[in-house]
Amino acid sequence: MSVAAGITEIGVFLLFLALAILLQKAGGAFSSEMAHYPDEAAHYITGLMVRDYAASGFPGNPVAFAERFYARFPKVAFGVWPPLFHGVLGVWLLPTPDGRTSALLLMAFMMAAAGYVLYRCVRQVAGRICGVSIGLLLLLLPISQLMTNTIMADSLVMLTELATAALMARWLRTGSNRDAHWVGVAAGLACMTKGNGMAVILAVPLAIAFTRRFDLLRKSGIYVAGLIAAVLAFGWELYALVLNRKISTFNDYSFAGVRGAFEFSFKFPYYAMGWALCALILLGLTVAAGCIKRRVGAWHLWASMGAVGISVFVFHIVLPHSLDGRYLLAGMAPLMVFLVPGARTIADTPPLARIAARWRVPLVLSCALAIFFGFYFQVPKMPRFGFREAAAWLEKHPLAGGRYLVVSDSNGEGGFIAEVASRSDRRLPGPLVMRASKLLFVSDWNLSGYRLVYDGPEKALAAIEQMGISYIVMDSTPDLSPLPHWDQVRRMLQQYSGRVQMVQRFPAGENGRVRSLDIYQVLHFANPPSKKFEFQTIYTRGGSIRE
């Protein structure tokens, strides 16, 4: 590659990165908190823990370090997912202890990298203009923006599976054992990111079947690739599966669940991209199938991208977890290359014959993109929950010990913990956060086996005082949760006004907040605490974690 070509490629990537950051800015990602998904704060806090462990010079037993970190910021979830995303996030956060902005920039970088991989694949068959257009389209999809605006592993799943598809295309064309080994590396990284990354394993036999390149089965490359992927990911995937079976109650497998996933999987791309782009992709898949059968044109690219895209959809239909479009993004991204053969088929029709050949495909794509922008494009607005303001207020009004109890749903608990952790000098003692879900009741992640820990509000308040909790952050957003422990806390705050007193309110609607947060001071908290924080982990470790 010449210097000029290299500069051009860098410029294309920087264009994607700039767009991703601008969309984050436009959507309010930098002023929002990590309370959009229950998993978001868990990913961030786990990455922050990895960062602090590395920044401290790897001080001793990593499990003991993680437990101490959890005792302060109880959202560490190392092992619940394979470690690649948390490892990457931890390394990325090394330059800055307050990682909120830095973490969002990493998400923009991952999405830009995915757009760049897609661009490189399309550029091979349709030129730079079409490549840039389709790469930018990936970033502009509302679901892509949502993933760029949140600290979730799904963007890395998409990136690693796109990379696997691109490397598989080269392997299908060359049959080289070395190229097969790189497919194994990329597939292993996808599996090391998240459980649904295993969908990419199905893509390899599908691609071989599509292209009828059964001769590849007689070479050692594919088997070494499988060994590489297994070495990278099998142990982590097995551990995560065992752990998830402990902490969660899996729904019974049913035909109704598969049917629901099937219907959702076919509807979601339409709502995400619009009818024009979906129609072009379907047309392109039909045309590409003929190229694959005859092995003409970019048959290797169509086979690999189609195999990965189809594998992702099949995985989430056959093994339905929850109906969420972010899981399907890893399948939609590789299928977007089929916009090219779809647009080319229309471009070759007689009505467009008078237009110069080099502009026909871009013109057809432009028309489909215009329909997308006119009817389906939007910039998702990320809400301000109020946890940042609450954490800032507590920082300005410290009390001895700096121990807080947050009463909210799983999203809110994580959002508050992430804000406190980001604002704290974690090298020094305090603050510590207790979650109501760890103090007031016991259950698995799906609330199976739910039971209250304390018989009534007085016993709960006594435990709070003994633990030295100085502030209670109460999420008073209406109709947020009907669970009994919420009612227990409300009765405690009403009946014992002489022992707990409201000191600050952050009502919903004010300054754009969507949650109503009330801060109560515990007037008679023990200092020093007469009772240590204890986090029940009976569904994971079979015991508890103590500070």
Side-chain angles (χ1 to χ4, degrees), residues 343-409:
R344 185 169 288 155
T345 301
I346 295 177
D348 291 338
T349 56
L352 299 179
R354 295 184 178 181
I355 300 173
R358 62 177 298 189
W359 296 112
R360 291 176 194 169
V361 173
L363 176 62
V364 175
L365 282 177
S366 298
C367 293
L369 290 173
I371 295 173
F372 166 74
F373 280 111
F375 297 96
Y376 300 96
F377 173 75
Q378 58 178 313
V379 177
K381 297 298 181 182
M382 309 308 289
R384 295 179 60 186
F385 296 92
F387 297 109
R388 185 164 299 176
E389 291 96 322
W393 188 92
L394 291 169
E395 187 179 39
K396 293 178 181 178
H397 300 82
L399 292 175
R403 293 165 174 252
Y404 314 138
L405 170 66
V406 56
V407 184
S408 184
D409 61 357

Side-chain angles (χ1 to χ4, degrees), residues 405-408 413 434-441 450 452 454-461 464 471-476 481-497 500 518-520 522:
L405 170 66
V406 56
V407 184
S408 184
E413 284 184 345
M434 171 60 79
R435 296 161 52 186
S437 60
K438 295 296 181 181
L439 173 66
L440 302 179
F441 70 92
Y450 179 99
L452 291 174
Y454 301 102
D455 294 338
E458 197 283 330
K459 290 184 178 180
L461 179 55
I464 289 170
Y471 286 113
I472 300 173
V473 179
M474 178 68 182
D475 193 336
S476 302
S481 176
L483 294 173
H485 73 278
W486 288 68
D487 182 59
Q488 189 178 75
V489 174
R490 293 188 189 100
R491 287 188 289 122
M492 178 184 74
L493 298 174
Q494 293 170 359
Q495 296 174 14
Y496 299 96
S497 56
V500 287
D518 301 327
I519 299 180
Y520 291 81
V522 181

Side-chain angles (χ1 to χ4, degrees), residues 399-405 432 461-471 522 524-533 547:
L399 292 175
R403 293 165 174 252
Y404 314 138
L405 170 66
L432 290 81
L461 179 55
I464 289 170
E465 292 172 337
Q466 292 166 11
M467 290 180 183
I469 293 173
S470 53
Y471 286 113
V522 181
H524 306 297
F525 65 91
N527 184 31
S530 59
K531 185 177 182 180
K532 297 290 187 180
F533 275 11
E547 61 171 299

